[in-house]
Amino acid sequence: MDALHAFISLMIATFIIALGLSQGLSWRLVDLGQGTRHPAFARGLGVSLIGVPLLSLIVVKVLPVPPIASGVIALMAFCPGLPMALNVVSRQKGNLPLTLALSITLSLVAIVLMPLSLKLLERLFPVAIHPPPYGVLLGRVILPFLVPFALGIGFQKVAPVWAQRLRKPVKLYFNVALGVAALALVVAGFPLLKQLHVWSIVAMVVVTLGAAALGHVAGRPRPGDRTALAISAVFGNPAFAFCLGGSTYPMKSLLGVMGLYLLIRTLALIPYLLWNQRQQASERGGGPSLPSGRRASVS
């Protein structure tokens, strides 16, 4: 088990670096400018920064969810912005420049607001949330994200061709490492997961589908914008949450709840994705849909 925990720690330490580098290498000024000027951009920020956190707090306070699971759900909601949303939005034929702008902006905003967010969560969930000292937060999360992020931007300016080639393997590593870490966390925390109440799983599903609904409604009327905002709202940033989890929770095995939430969130989103594809096909069949913005490269 010690070897498994060491492996999980290694995955968490490296994929937060990969996240920053991936975001920096994806920094396309043209696409970002187009995305931030889009009318749905401000609505997307509102959904991810205000709507989803409020939804998660309401759900865990209304439903009889155990304190630890409540803290995990809330912590994940307060860590927005995830680059893998680009891949899902691309397959769903959504607005990629808008998604790119939201992903990068939300990641940076989450970093800036993280100390305040943790203080708020500590007041709401004193049993579960124990914020680390700012020096730990700076060393484990903020700098490991910001330094590679800045390097990625600089590398793209100096060698754009090589930056484009590097972006795909970095994103691939991040996605694979995140998935492997989530599975390993579930295995490591399995004794605790067996004690989880069914209401914990219900709350995770409700927050996932509720976040998708908030984004979908905020993105109307354009189909591509609805898709971009819905997926961006759901895919919060477990990279930040995992890095915080090892220091904000009293037992590292509690990270298994985060891994379980990540898996449940992925499965719970499938019905929305299937329904959204049928909606888009129906709208295309009924006539030309409104434009959703120029496609951006996600390679």
Side-chain angles (χ1 to χ4, degrees), residues 124-206:
L124 294 173
F125 306 99
V127 175
I129 302 293
H130 301 285
Y134 185 76
V136 175
L137 185 64
L138 184 70
R140 288 190 179 183
V141 185
I142 297 178
L143 289 181
F145 173 82
L146 289 181
V147 172
F149 178 74
L151 291 175
I153 294 176
F155 189 59
Q156 188 174 177
K157 295 294 183 182
V158 174
V161 175
W162 284 101
Q164 184 176 1
R165 293 176 180 176
L166 181 61
R167 186 163 61 242
K168 186 172 183 177
V170 170
K171 285 185 177 180
L172 177 62
Y173 173 79
F174 173 80
N175 292 334
V176 171
L178 185 60
V180 170
L183 290 173
L185 286 169
V186 171
V187 173
F190 187 70
L192 174 68
L193 297 180
K194 291 191 297 184
Q195 303 174 18
L196 277 184
H197 198 280
V198 67
W199 284 112
S200 301
I201 298 176
V202 171
M204 293 173 184
V205 173
V206 170

Side-chain angles (χ1 to χ4, degrees), residues 80-100:
L82 187 62
M84 70 168 56
L86 287 167
N87 299 328
V88 181
V89 170
S90 177
R91 292 194 295 270
Q92 291 280 309
K93 304 184 186 306
N95 188 333
L96 287 175
L98 176 60
T99 308
L100 174 64

Side-chain angles (χ1 to χ4, degrees), residues 35-60:
T36 54
R37 290 192 301 269
H38 198 284
F41 177 74
R43 300 198 300 271
L45 290 181
V47 167
S48 295
L49 295 175
I50 300 175
V52 175
L54 280 178
L55 171 66
S56 69
L57 294 178
I58 292 172
V59 169
V60 299

Side-chain angles (χ1 to χ4, degrees), residues 5 29 57 59-60 70 89 103 107 119 129 135-136 163 193 200 229 232 238 261 273 281:
H5 280 296
L29 188 59
L57 294 178
V59 169
V60 299
S70 298
V89 170
S103 177
S107 294
K119 289 293 184 183
I129 302 293
V136 175
L193 297 180
S200 301
L229 265 60
S232 296
Y261 185 20
L273 297 178

Side-chain angles (χ1 to χ4, degrees), residues 99-117:
T99 308
L100 174 64
L102 284 171
S103 177
I104 292 177
T105 303
L106 288 170
S107 294
L108 293 174
V109 170
I111 283 289
V112 173
L113 295 181
M114 197 169 290
L116 296 177
S117 299

